[in-house]
PDB file of all heavy atoms in Angstrom:
ATOM      1  N   THR A   1      86.175 -76.882 -94.802  1.00 89.00           N
ATOM      2  CA  THR A   1      86.570 -78.038 -95.610  1.00 89.00           C
ATOM      3  C   THR A   1      87.245 -79.112 -94.774  1.00 89.00           C
ATOM      4  O   THR A   1      87.626 -80.154 -95.298  1.00 89.00           O
ATOM      5  CB  THR A   1      87.534 -77.642 -96.748  1.00 89.00           C
ATOM      6  OG1 THR A   1      88.850 -77.400 -96.214  1.00 89.00           O
ATOM      7  CG2 THR A   1      87.030 -76.438 -97.511  1.00 89.00           C
ATOM      8  N   PHE A   2      87.405 -78.883 -93.491  1.00 92.00           N
ATOM      9  CA  PHE A   2      88.161 -79.771 -92.607  1.00 92.00           C
ATOM     10  C   PHE A   2      87.226 -80.796 -91.963  1.00 92.00           C
ATOM     11  O   PHE A   2      86.309 -80.441 -91.232  1.00 92.00           O
ATOM     12  CB  PHE A   2      88.852 -78.937 -91.522  1.00 92.00           C
ATOM     13  CG  PHE A   2      89.772 -79.709 -90.627  1.00 92.00           C
ATOM     14  CD1 PHE A   2      91.064 -79.997 -91.029  1.00 92.00           C
ATOM     15  CD2 PHE A   2      89.358 -80.127 -89.375  1.00 92.00           C
ATOM     16  CE1 PHE A   2      91.928 -80.692 -90.198  1.00 92.00           C
ATOM     17  CE2 PHE A   2      90.213 -80.829 -88.541  1.00 92.00           C
ATOM     18  CZ  PHE A   2      91.494 -81.109 -88.941  1.00 92.00           C
ATOM     19  N   TYR A   3      87.469 -82.070 -92.240  1.00 96.00           N
ATOM     20  CA  TYR A   3      86.696 -83.177 -91.667  1.00 96.00           C
ATOM     21  C   TYR A   3      87.661 -84.137 -90.998  1.00 96.00           C
ATOM     22  O   TYR A   3      88.716 -84.445 -91.564  1.00 96.00           O
ATOM     23  CB  TYR A   3      85.910 -83.919 -92.753  1.00 96.00           C
ATOM     24  CG  TYR A   3      84.761 -83.127 -93.296  1.00 96.00           C
ATOM     25  CD1 TYR A   3      84.966 -82.106 -94.219  1.00 96.00           C
ATOM     26  CD2 TYR A   3      83.462 -83.380 -92.874  1.00 96.00           C
ATOM     27  CE1 TYR A   3      83.906 -81.362 -94.709  1.00 96.00           C
ATOM     28  CE2 TYR A   3      82.394 -82.638 -93.359  1.00 96.00           C
ATOM     29  CZ  TYR A   3      82.631 -81.634 -94.272  1.00 96.00           C
ATOM     30  OH  TYR A   3      81.577 -80.891 -94.747  1.00 96.00           O
ATOM     31  N   CYS A   4      87.312 -84.604 -89.813  1.00 96.00           N
ATOM     32  CA  CYS A   4      88.177 -85.568 -89.138  1.00 96.00           C
ATOM     33  C   CYS A   4      87.337 -86.612 -88.422  1.00 96.00           C
ATOM     34  O   CYS A   4      86.151 -86.402 -88.154  1.00 96.00           O
ATOM     35  CB  CYS A   4      89.142 -84.887 -88.181  1.00 96.00           C
ATOM     36  SG  CYS A   4      88.393 -84.135 -86.743  1.00 96.00           S
ATOM     37  N   LYS A   5      87.966 -87.722 -88.128  1.00 97.00           N
ATOM     38  CA  LYS A   5      87.270 -88.782 -87.407  1.00 97.00           C
ATOM     39  C   LYS A   5      86.937 -88.288 -85.999  1.00 97.00           C
ATOM     40  O   LYS A   5      87.746 -87.619 -85.357  1.00 97.00           O
ATOM     41  CB  LYS A   5      88.105 -90.054 -87.396  1.00 97.00           C
ATOM     42  CG  LYS A   5      88.216 -90.658 -88.783  1.00 97.00           C
ATOM     43  CD  LYS A   5      88.867 -92.001 -88.778  1.00 97.00           C
ATOM     44  CE  LYS A   5      88.870 -92.585 -90.191  1.00 97.00           C
ATOM     45  NZ  LYS A   5      89.693 -93.799 -90.265  1.00 97.00           N
ATOM     46  N   ARG A   6      85.744 -88.610 -85.564  1.00 97.00           N
ATOM     47  CA  ARG A   6      85.250 -88.122 -84.267  1.00 97.00           C
ATOM     48  C   ARG A   6      86.148 -88.555 -83.124  1.00 97.00           C
ATOM     49  O   ARG A   6      86.372 -87.795 -82.174  1.00 97.00           O
ATOM     50  CB  ARG A   6      83.815 -88.601 -84.032  1.00 97.00           C
ATOM     51  CG  ARG A   6      83.220 -88.127 -82.718  1.00 97.00           C
ATOM     52  CD  ARG A   6      81.764 -88.538 -82.555  1.00 97.00           C
ATOM     53  NE  ARG A   6      81.510 -89.920 -82.844  1.00 97.00           N
ATOM     54  CZ  ARG A   6      81.610 -90.916 -81.953  1.00 97.00           C
ATOM     55  NH1 ARG A   6      81.962 -90.671 -80.720  1.00 97.00           N
ATOM     56  NH2 ARG A   6      81.346 -92.157 -82.316  1.00 97.00           N
ATOM     57  N   ASN A   7      86.683 -89.754 -83.186  1.00 96.00           N
ATOM     58  CA  ASN A   7      87.495 -90.247 -82.069  1.00 96.00           C
ATOM     59  C   ASN A   7      88.762 -89.421 -81.845  1.00 96.00           C
ATOM     60  O   ASN A   7      89.364 -89.486 -80.780  1.00 96.00           O
ATOM     61  CB  ASN A   7      87.826 -91.728 -82.244  1.00 96.00           C
ATOM     62  CG  ASN A   7      88.738 -92.010 -83.420  1.00 96.00           C
ATOM     63  OD1 ASN A   7      89.011 -91.151 -84.252  1.00 96.00           O
ATOM     64  ND2 ASN A   7      89.218 -93.241 -83.497  1.00 96.00           N
ATOM     65  N   LEU A   8      89.169 -88.619 -82.817  1.00 96.00           N
ATOM     66  CA  LEU A   8      90.345 -87.768 -82.624  1.00 96.00           C
ATOM     67  C   LEU A   8      90.104 -86.729 -81.544  1.00 96.00           C
ATOM     68  O   LEU A   8      91.017 -86.370 -80.799  1.00 96.00           O
ATOM     69  CB  LEU A   8      90.730 -87.080 -83.933  1.00 96.00           C
ATOM     70  CG  LEU A   8      91.111 -87.988 -85.092  1.00 96.00           C
ATOM     71  CD1 LEU A   8      91.502 -87.166 -86.309  1.00 96.00           C
ATOM     72  CD2 LEU A   8      92.219 -88.951 -84.701  1.00 96.00           C
ATOM     73  N   PHE A   9      88.871 -86.223 -81.436  1.00 96.00           N
ATOM     74  CA  PHE A   9      88.559 -85.253 -80.390  1.00 96.00           C
ATOM     75  C   PHE A   9      88.650 -85.913 -79.020  1.00 96.00           C
ATOM     76  O   PHE A   9      89.123 -85.308 -78.062  1.00 96.00           O
ATOM     77  CB  PHE A   9      87.172 -84.647 -80.600  1.00 96.00           C
ATOM     78  CG  PHE A   9      87.084 -83.777 -81.823  1.00 96.00           C
ATOM     79  CD1 PHE A   9      86.419 -84.226 -82.959  1.00 96.00           C
ATOM     80  CD2 PHE A   9      87.664 -82.523 -81.850  1.00 96.00           C
ATOM     81  CE1 PHE A   9      86.336 -83.435 -84.092  1.00 96.00           C
ATOM     82  CE2 PHE A   9      87.586 -81.721 -82.981  1.00 96.00           C
ATOM     83  CZ  PHE A   9      86.927 -82.176 -84.106  1.00 96.00           C
ATOM     84  N   GLU A  10      88.181 -87.144 -78.936  1.00 94.00           N
ATOM     85  CA  GLU A  10      88.244 -87.858 -77.671  1.00 94.00           C
ATOM     86  C   GLU A  10      89.698 -88.155 -77.281  1.00 94.00           C
ATOM     87  O   GLU A  10      90.063 -88.080 -76.114  1.00 94.00           O
ATOM     88  CB  GLU A  10      87.441 -89.157 -77.768  1.00 94.00           C
ATOM     89  CG  GLU A  10      85.959 -88.911 -77.996  1.00 94.00           C
ATOM     90  CD  GLU A  10      85.200 -90.122 -78.520  1.00 94.00           C
ATOM     91  OE1 GLU A  10      85.802 -91.207 -78.661  1.00 94.00           O
ATOM     92  OE2 GLU A  10      84.001 -89.969 -78.800  1.00 94.00           O
ATOM     93  N   LYS A  11      90.520 -88.442 -78.259  1.00 96.00           N
ATOM     94  CA  LYS A  11      91.913 -88.812 -78.002  1.00 96.00           C
ATOM     95  C   LYS A  11      92.823 -87.602 -77.804  1.00 96.00           C
ATOM     96  O   LYS A  11      93.690 -87.606 -76.933  1.00 96.00           O
ATOM     97  CB  LYS A  11      92.430 -89.669 -79.167  1.00 96.00           C
ATOM     98  CG  LYS A  11      93.809 -90.226 -78.953  1.00 96.00           C
ATOM     99  CD  LYS A  11      94.175 -91.200 -80.059  1.00 96.00           C
ATOM    100  CE  LYS A  11      95.556 -91.795 -79.806  1.00 96.00           C
ATOM    101  NZ  LYS A  11      95.934 -92.742 -80.855  1.00 96.00           N
ATOM    102  N   PHE A  12      92.636 -86.543 -78.618  1.00 95.00           N
ATOM    103  CA  PHE A  12      93.564 -85.414 -78.614  1.00 95.00           C
ATOM    104  C   PHE A  12      92.966 -84.113 -78.083  1.00 95.00           C
ATOM    105  O   PHE A  12      93.659 -83.117 -77.995  1.00 95.00           O
ATOM    106  CB  PHE A  12      94.119 -85.190 -80.023  1.00 95.00           C
ATOM    107  CG  PHE A  12      94.881 -86.368 -80.543  1.00 95.00           C
ATOM    108  CD1 PHE A  12      94.338 -87.190 -81.519  1.00 95.00           C
ATOM    109  CD2 PHE A  12      96.136 -86.683 -80.046  1.00 95.00           C
ATOM    110  CE1 PHE A  12      95.032 -88.288 -82.004  1.00 95.00           C
ATOM    111  CE2 PHE A  12      96.840 -87.776 -80.519  1.00 95.00           C
ATOM    112  CZ  PHE A  12      96.290 -88.586 -81.498  1.00 95.00           C
ATOM    113  N   GLY A  13      91.692 -84.108 -77.766  1.00 96.00           N
ATOM    114  CA  GLY A  13      91.072 -82.922 -77.191  1.00 96.00           C
ATOM    115  C   GLY A  13      90.237 -82.131 -78.180  1.00 96.00           C
ATOM    116  O   GLY A  13      90.340 -82.301 -79.389  1.00 96.00           O
ATOM    117  N   TYR A  14      89.432 -81.260 -77.626  1.00 97.00           N
ATOM    118  CA  TYR A  14      88.511 -80.418 -78.385  1.00 97.00           C
ATOM    119  C   TYR A  14      89.187 -79.081 -78.709  1.00 97.00           C
ATOM    120  O   TYR A  14      90.366 -78.882 -78.441  1.00 97.00           O
ATOM    121  CB  TYR A  14      87.234 -80.212 -77.572  1.00 97.00           C
ATOM    122  CG  TYR A  14      86.495 -81.508 -77.317  1.00 97.00           C
ATOM    123  CD1 TYR A  14      86.800 -82.318 -76.231  1.00 97.00           C
ATOM    124  CD2 TYR A  14      85.506 -81.943 -78.187  1.00 97.00           C
ATOM    125  CE1 TYR A  14      86.135 -83.521 -76.012  1.00 97.00           C
ATOM    126  CE2 TYR A  14      84.827 -83.141 -77.984  1.00 97.00           C
ATOM    127  CZ  TYR A  14      85.157 -83.920 -76.891  1.00 97.00           C
ATOM    128  OH  TYR A  14      84.499 -85.100 -76.686  1.00 97.00           O
ATOM    129  N   TYR A  15      88.394 -78.162 -79.259  1.00 95.00           N
ATOM    130  CA  TYR A  15      88.909 -76.821 -79.509  1.00 95.00           C
ATOM    131  C   TYR A  15      89.216 -76.173 -78.168  1.00 95.00           C
ATOM    132  O   TYR A  15      88.378 -76.152 -77.267  1.00 95.00           O
ATOM    133  CB  TYR A  15      87.881 -75.974 -80.271  1.00 95.00           C
ATOM    134  CG  TYR A  15      87.710 -76.395 -81.694  1.00 95.00           C
ATOM    135  CD1 TYR A  15      86.697 -77.278 -82.063  1.00 95.00           C
ATOM    136  CD2 TYR A  15      88.563 -75.927 -82.683  1.00 95.00           C
ATOM    137  CE1 TYR A  15      86.539 -77.684 -83.376  1.00 95.00           C
ATOM    138  CE2 TYR A  15      88.411 -76.327 -84.003  1.00 95.00           C
ATOM    139  CZ  TYR A  15      87.400 -77.205 -84.336  1.00 95.00           C
ATOM    140  OH  TYR A  15      87.259 -77.606 -85.631  1.00 95.00           O
ATOM    141  N   SER A  16      90.404 -75.626 -78.039  1.00 96.00           N
ATOM    142  CA  SER A  16      90.779 -74.940 -76.805  1.00 96.00           C
ATOM    143  C   SER A  16      90.179 -73.540 -76.808  1.00 96.00           C
ATOM    144  O   SER A  16      90.247 -72.838 -77.820  1.00 96.00           O
ATOM    145  CB  SER A  16      92.299 -74.841 -76.699  1.00 96.00           C
ATOM    146  OG  SER A  16      92.655 -74.029 -75.606  1.00 96.00           O
ATOM    147  N   LEU A  17      89.625 -73.139 -75.690  1.00 96.00           N
ATOM    148  CA  LEU A  17      89.065 -71.795 -75.580  1.00 96.00           C
ATOM    149  C   LEU A  17      90.131 -70.790 -75.147  1.00 96.00           C
ATOM    150  O   LEU A  17      89.831 -69.617 -74.941  1.00 96.00           O
ATOM    151  CB  LEU A  17      87.894 -71.791 -74.595  1.00 96.00           C
ATOM    152  CG  LEU A  17      86.755 -72.766 -74.918  1.00 96.00           C
ATOM    153  CD1 LEU A  17      85.591 -72.554 -73.955  1.00 96.00           C
ATOM    154  CD2 LEU A  17      86.294 -72.667 -76.354  1.00 96.00           C
ATOM    155  N   ASN A  18      91.367 -71.235 -75.061  1.00 94.00           N
ATOM    156  CA  ASN A  18      92.467 -70.368 -74.614  1.00 94.00           C
ATOM    157  C   ASN A  18      93.146 -69.601 -75.739  1.00 94.00           C
ATOM    158  O   ASN A  18      94.025 -68.789 -75.474  1.00 94.00           O
ATOM    159  CB  ASN A  18      93.541 -71.210 -73.891  1.00 94.00           C
ATOM    160  CG  ASN A  18      93.006 -71.869 -72.649  1.00 94.00           C
ATOM    161  OD1 ASN A  18      92.159 -71.321 -71.965  1.00 94.00           O
ATOM    162  ND2 ASN A  18      93.494 -73.063 -72.365  1.00 94.00           N
ATOM    163  N   TYR A  19      92.767 -69.863 -76.995  1.00 91.00           N
ATOM    164  CA  TYR A  19      93.492 -69.270 -78.116  1.00 91.00           C
ATOM    165  C   TYR A  19      92.672 -68.297 -78.954  1.00 91.00           C
ATOM    166  O   TYR A  19      93.078 -67.923 -80.051  1.00 91.00           O
ATOM    167  CB  TYR A  19      94.062 -70.381 -79.012  1.00 91.00           C
ATOM    168  CG  TYR A  19      95.085 -71.214 -78.303  1.00 91.00           C
ATOM    169  CD1 TYR A  19      94.760 -72.479 -77.826  1.00 91.00           C
ATOM    170  CD2 TYR A  19      96.363 -70.732 -78.075  1.00 91.00           C
ATOM    171  CE1 TYR A  19      95.697 -73.258 -77.154  1.00 91.00           C
ATOM    172  CE2 TYR A  19      97.310 -71.485 -77.401  1.00 91.00           C
ATOM    173  CZ  TYR A  19      96.968 -72.739 -76.939  1.00 91.00           C
ATOM    174  OH  TYR A  19      97.891 -73.489 -76.268  1.00 91.00           O
ATOM    175  N   GLY A  20      91.519 -67.894 -78.479  1.00 90.00           N
ATOM    176  CA  GLY A  20      90.705 -66.934 -79.219  1.00 90.00           C
ATOM    177  C   GLY A  20      90.415 -67.408 -80.627  1.00 90.00           C
ATOM    178  O   GLY A  20      90.066 -68.569 -80.845  1.00 90.00           O
ATOM    179  N   THR A  21      90.609 -66.526 -81.592  1.00 88.00           N
ATOM    180  CA  THR A  21      90.302 -66.858 -82.984  1.00 88.00           C
ATOM    181  C   THR A  21      91.300 -67.818 -83.614  1.00 88.00           C
ATOM    182  O   THR A  21      91.098 -68.247 -84.748  1.00 88.00           O
ATOM    183  CB  THR A  21      90.228 -65.584 -83.847  1.00 88.00           C
ATOM    184  OG1 THR A  21      91.492 -64.916 -83.767  1.00 88.00           O
ATOM    185  CG2 THR A  21      89.112 -64.664 -83.390  1.00 88.00           C
ATOM    186  N   ALA A  22      92.348 -68.170 -82.899  1.00 89.00           N
ATOM    187  CA  ALA A  22      93.339 -69.119 -83.418  1.00 89.00           C
ATOM    188  C   ALA A  22      93.057 -70.548 -82.955  1.00 89.00           C
ATOM    189  O   ALA A  22      93.882 -71.433 -83.158  1.00 89.00           O
ATOM    190  CB  ALA A  22      94.741 -68.694 -83.003  1.00 89.00           C
ATOM    191  N   ALA A  23      91.916 -70.797 -82.343  1.00 93.00           N
ATOM    192  CA  ALA A  23      91.623 -72.136 -81.818  1.00 93.00           C
ATOM    193  C   ALA A  23      91.575 -73.189 -82.915  1.00 93.00           C
ATOM    194  O   ALA A  23      92.008 -74.322 -82.697  1.00 93.00           O
ATOM    195  CB  ALA A  23      90.304 -72.123 -81.037  1.00 93.00           C
ATOM    196  N   ASP A  24      91.072 -72.847 -84.095  1.00 91.00           N
ATOM    197  CA  ASP A  24      91.046 -73.834 -85.176  1.00 91.00           C
ATOM    198  C   ASP A  24      92.463 -74.121 -85.672  1.00 91.00           C
ATOM    199  O   ASP A  24      92.818 -75.267 -85.932  1.00 91.00           O
ATOM    200  CB  ASP A  24      90.121 -73.422 -86.319  1.00 91.00           C
ATOM    201  CG  ASP A  24      90.358 -72.032 -86.844  1.00 91.00           C
ATOM    202  OD1 ASP A  24      91.148 -71.268 -86.260  1.00 91.00           O
ATOM    203  OD2 ASP A  24      89.733 -71.688 -87.862  1.00 91.00           O
TER     204      ASP A  24
END
């Protein structure tokens, strides 16, 4: 259900692969 503006990923980063199942 989570939708966000695409530019937020560019500004604040993508999903981190360092947190396992807690990345979201």
